[in-house]
Amino acid sequence: MNSKSAIRIALLVALIPLLGGCSLFKSRSEWDKAAEARPLEIPPDLEAPPSRGELIVPQAGSGRPVAARGATGVDGLSVADTVDSTWERVGLALERAGDLGSISARDQASHTYSLTVTSKRTRDEGGFFKRLFTRKKVETVTETVNIGVSADGTGSRVSVSGAAASVQRVTALLRERLS
């Protein structure tokens, strides 16, 4: 075989993929044959914006306090006693629990207490190594917990609201002392 025919064969072998493109080596799967489907239709009642006020965020300075999600808690318990008697018993339990906090306000007419709860919490700062080699910061936190007593059937209902950690502490104390 001479060198001219070898060059022609080499050129012919090199030109075959160029003439046919990659379609010679491409498979024809169902994915390649798929056509675009028409877009989904949205029902007319879902296109309108919400018209009820339950999803509206209040404007800043509107007077309504807005708490962060998960930051507040509400709990309570039922007591088989009159509202007046339960309110007095709650007051005695709060006064005797000196390490829990102090009563900052009381209203006998509305059967409510406002309790200032002081607690110490540790806080980690920094990354892993900084937390490993430094002390935890201890901070004193003062929170207000509101306690109300209302009629509940033949007994009373004690409702506790405020910061979640403080609500748990106050509710645990009241469950222990009022049961």
Side-chain angles (χ1 to χ4, degrees):
M1 190 171 189
N2 75 32
S3 65
K4 284 187 178 182
S5 63
I7 293 174
R8 285 183 188 166
I9 291 174
L11 283 174
L12 185 62
V13 170
L15 286 175
I16 289 175
L18 292 175
L19 294 175
C22 291
S23 64
L24 290 175
F25 305 108
K26 194 174 189 182
S27 68
R28 293 287 179 192
S29 67
E30 293 298 320
W31 179 264
D32 295 330
K33 297 176 188 174
E36 185 176 332
R38 64 185 189 101
L40 295 175
E41 293 181 25
I42 300 172
D45 61 331
L46 292 179
E47 290 184 284
S51 58
R52 296 182 301 232
E54 62 193 23
L55 299 177
I56 297 174
V57 177
Q59 295 296 323
S62 65
R64 271 180 58 192
V66 179
R69 185 179 184 131
T72 60
V74 177
D75 201 354
L77 59 132
S78 296
V79 180
D81 204 352
T82 65
V83 174
D84 291 328
S85 176
T86 303
W87 184 79
E88 289 178 14
R89 290 174 58 198
V90 167
L92 285 173
L94 295 175
E95 287 172 356
R96 291 181 180 162
D99 61 333
L100 183 65
S102 61
I103 299 173
S104 56
R106 65 177 77 213
D107 186 4
Q108 188 172 4
S110 62
H111 299 102
T112 58
Y113 290 98
S114 182
L115 184 69
T116 303
V117 178
T118 304
S119 59
K120 294 184 189 253
R121 296 192 183 144
T122 58
R123 183 174 54 150
D124 288 334
E125 287 184 350
F128 172 74
F129 287 108
K130 186 172 184 178
R131 290 192 318 250
L132 188 62
F133 294 111
T134 60
R135 289 186 193 177
K136 294 182 179 183
K137 294 205 176 207
V138 178
E139 60 185 8
T140 303
V141 179
T142 303
E143 300 166 331
T144 302
V145 176
N146 296 313
I147 304 154
V149 180
S150 60
D152 184 27
T154 59
S156 302
R157 173 95 179 141
V158 179
S159 301
V160 183
S161 64
S166 297
V167 166
Q168 288 177 347
R169 288 179 59 200
V170 171
T171 304
L173 171 91
L174 292 177
R175 282 187 205 282
E176 177 185 320
R177 303 267 170 106
L178 297 178
S179 57

